[in-house]
Amino acid sequence: MIARTLISDPADPRLDDVRDLNHSDSRPDLPGGKGLVVAEGPLVVGRLLESRFPVRAIVGFKNKLDSFFATIDPALVEDIAVYEVTRDVLAEVAGFDMHRGLLATADRVEETPVSQVLENARTVVVLEGVGDHENIGSMFRNAAGMGVDAILFGNGCADPLYRRVVRVSMGNVLRLPFAHLEGTYTTWQRSLDQLKEAGFYLVSLTPDPGAEHLEDALAGKEKVALLVGAEGPGLTEHAMRATDVRARIPMAPGTDSLNLATSAAIAFYERDRSQR
Amino acid sequence: MIARTLISDPADPRLDDVRDLNHSDSRPDLPGGKGLVVAEGPLVVGRLLESRFPVRAIVGFKNKLDSFFATIDPALVEDIAVYEVTRDVLAEVAGFDMHRGLLATADRVEETPVSQVLENARTVVVLEGVGDHENIGSMFRNAAGMGVDAILFGNGCADPLYRRVVRVSMGNVLRLPFAHLEGTYTTWQRSLDQLKEAGFYLVSLTPDPGAEHLEDALAGKEKVALLVGAEGPGLTEHAMRATDVRARIPMAPGTDSLNLATSAAIAFYERDRSQR
């Protein structure tokens, strides 16, 4: 039986990690931000426990804790505080009704250096200007599912450890290596040289009908970095110029471009297929 | 200049089409349902005007109507009532703040018969048990973008003309042909015979690692129907048995399956690629 502490006073400071939850995941430099990693629901809480992030606390309703603990190795939670709360208490602390009823918080850890992330990687994604949390979360889910080794962030991307990203990624942001490339809007592209030196073939994903078919662009490549820009503006010309090829997914004439994470998933599929 | 009528009384019955908007798109057999097709925002309203659905009214803020009408052929709206309202009036009528400020409503039309939908089609999707509006909307967006000719609905799918589907599909549900196959949970699969008779090769999409690789399953096929089931349960065994092959998208071991619309988009890509 895993020990737990019942807390019935919403003001109890031991619940501060999940207080005002819409802010506690923001970076510490933002108003109200504590920079915590917040996992919700049994699948993602389980992945947080197995991740590199040091878990601080688990908070949940009695029945949710019961069923979650029945499925995990007790050694995983040996030194972690476990707080049992009612739905009403958690709603008051978190600031909204958390019907999932199971949460865990962790500290951030220092980011793995880019060079280390690239070490044994054969396929990586590089994002530029992707500010949408849902797109970043889906990207991690698809990348993890389809054998991509890491995600690198160029300039102007949203925080991958934001609570919504963690949730949409189904916890894959806690498992798949990621790192940030240095530089501003007009200079970050230079850090792509690191990838070239590591032997990566750089591929820009673009809706441009004049670009190469994805199949041709990826054929016979040993190590590939796929560059993806924001939905709408896409990659900057600066970024595309720094790559070896511009590749497109064929689209029916007069239609809209695909969702960002969907386009990337198709590229992940083609990358895998090109290696069959 | 396109004529319009200013309405400042939220009780005006001419605004009944957009009254209590969270219900007016429901099917007429449901509580509060009027079964109207509701388009939101200039892109989707424009697509509604060009669709087979007879438009009843356009409702919008002054500035939204101005900018929308500046982009369209006035002949498109010749016999359609146009009502100008303020943000406050629309919020009171619709039941929530409609910040997009431009709406159009249309009547449903009788569904095209399955035989007619299949007539010149070479690639169709067949859905079973897909109850999620967002997945259906994304499916239409991806299908239209990637050259799929039609979507057929097997048993247990949500209403494709629900307002949220129209929005998520970016109006493509108003352009891409669709039809419903007859039958219940255990009998609808028989109507797949129509597709076989029309020369379609039937492919079940499944995460089953024992299934054929999508590339092999689609290679050299002239007409293809891709069957897709709900996220989680997937296709019923009944449905899969009625198809010619079970196909999988290769996934990394120990990972989650892909989102439904994403899996389908990958299959659409492979279908197009197999015909290069």
Side-chain angles (χ1 to χ4, degrees), chain A residues 47 145 252 257 269-270 273 276, chain B residues 145 215 252 256 269-270 273:
Chain A
R47 288 178 174 176
S257 67
Y269 170 78
E270 179 61 56
R273 192 183 184 301
R276 279 190 88 190
Chain B
E215 174 183 0
D256 321 294
Y269 171 79
E270 179 60 54
R273 192 182 183 302

Side-chain angles (χ1 to χ4, degrees), chain A residues 3 15 35 44 64 75 128 157 216 225 229 234 255:
Chain A
L15 296 178
V44 183
K64 302 288 182 178
E128 182 190 37
C157 295
D216 305 328
T255 56

